[in-house]
Amino acid sequence: MKFNSVTRTIAATVMVAAAIGLTACSTAVSSDVRDPDATRVAFYGDSYTLGTGASSSNNRWSTVVSKQRGWSEFNPSVNGLGFINNRGNFADGDLPSLIIADDPDIVFVTMGLNDNFSFDSRSDDIRTQITEDFTRLTTALPDARFIVVEPFWYTDERPASVETIIGWVEDAAASIGADYIPDASHWIEGHPEWMASDGLHPNDDGYAAMAREMDQALRTLGLSQKAKVEL
């Protein structure tokens, strides 16, 4: 794995447009200057990784776990996006191309929730695109470590498509030798108090719970928090 690469290109600010499905106003990818010596971590996800519903992007789980580990975060995730759902571009300019251009050391894939809304009409396309996205990313980023997270879910009621898509994602993760984090679809289950006022997305407490679960999963994978330096 190519950690702490010296020559890096600072990612430009990327504005993401709101889409139907699990949507809200999009936020911009941070344009803060990034530490060139830090492990670069890119997140390929939807609103649950973008942090929609949180009072600040600092409270979304991706930013919390990145700060805990001293990672340089690149998070261009898009509201309502799926492997197929609300996606009209499958080449240059799409989200995988932004991930590839960032040249990260670690790639998180947290996709699949929104594809449940397209499942009845496009199930075959969803299954095919999962494999195509994974193949494209790993081919372009052969030295990166891939961490695939079980697709999130947002209600206690679970249509049959949820488990089907989870299975497809897990199988695709295994096919590329990625680390896989299971059970994420249950992380906020049974806690309506963890949902934002829109009833669709986590609030700050919900994202904090997700960050705790993700932190424990990453520790299991050997990615512990950065040690504190005593002064």
Side-chain angles (χ1 to χ4, degrees):
M1 192 182 305
K2 54 176 183 40
F3 290 104
N4 298 330
S5 178
V6 175
T7 304
R8 301 289 195 172
T9 302
I10 297 176
T13 301
V14 180
M15 295 300 295
V16 290
I20 61 173
L22 295 186
T23 60
C25 294
S26 297
T27 60
V29 175
S30 173
S31 60
D32 293 342
V33 175
R34 298 167 67 185
D35 182 352
D37 295 322
T39 298
R40 294 174 75 91
V41 182
F43 294 84
Y44 177 22
D46 53 35
S47 58
Y48 272 52
T49 300
L50 179 64
T52 301
S55 62
S56 165
S57 62
N58 288 327
N59 295 325
R60 63 189 179 187
W61 68 264
S62 65
T63 300
V64 172
V65 299
S66 293
K67 288 183 176 179
Q68 288 171 338
R69 288 161 175 79
W71 290 345
S72 175
E73 177 190 9
F74 178 63
N75 186 347
S77 299
V78 176
N79 285 315
L81 188 69
F83 290 104
I84 286 293
N85 198 64
N86 291 323
R87 186 171 172 187
N89 185 7
F90 299 87
D92 289 346
D94 67 355
L95 204 54
S97 71
L98 299 180
I99 299 296
I100 292 166
D102 191 63
D103 192 24
D105 300 304
I106 300 174
V107 177
F108 277 79
V109 179
T110 59
M111 294 281 285
L113 186 160
N114 290 293
D115 290 302
N116 288 278
F117 307 124
S118 301
F119 187 84
D120 289 345
S121 61
R122 303 198 67 184
S123 59
D124 289 343
D125 292 337
I126 293 166
R127 187 174 191 176
T128 298
Q129 194 58 46
I130 293 169
T131 299
E132 290 185 356
D133 277 1
F134 282 27
T135 300
R136 177 183 169 198
L137 286 164
T138 54
T139 299
L141 299 168
D143 297 322
R145 179 174 183 174
F146 281 80
I147 300 174
V148 177
V149 180
E150 177 180 290
F152 299 128
W153 189 242
Y154 71 109
T155 64
D156 294 348
E157 182 181 353
R158 298 162 67 89
S161 60
V162 172
E163 296 303 330
T164 300
I165 292 173
I166 285 173
W168 291 344
V169 169
E170 184 173 7
D171 288 346
S175 73
I176 62 170
D179 294 307
Y180 184 74
I181 295 177
D183 301 324
S185 66
H186 296 285
W187 283 356
I188 58 173
E189 189 175 75
H191 288 277
E193 74 277 12
W194 288 351
M195 299 301 288
S197 59
D198 64 6
L200 300 175
H201 300 92
N203 57 22
D204 286 347
D205 290 338
Y207 283 115
M210 293 174 72
R212 289 192 296 271
E213 294 283 358
M214 190 66 72
D215 174 57
Q216 185 56 54
L218 293 176
R219 288 171 183 264
T220 301
L221 294 177
L223 295 169
S224 299
Q225 294 186 19
K226 187 176 181 180
K228 294 182 179 179
V229 177
E230 298 293 338
L231 298 178

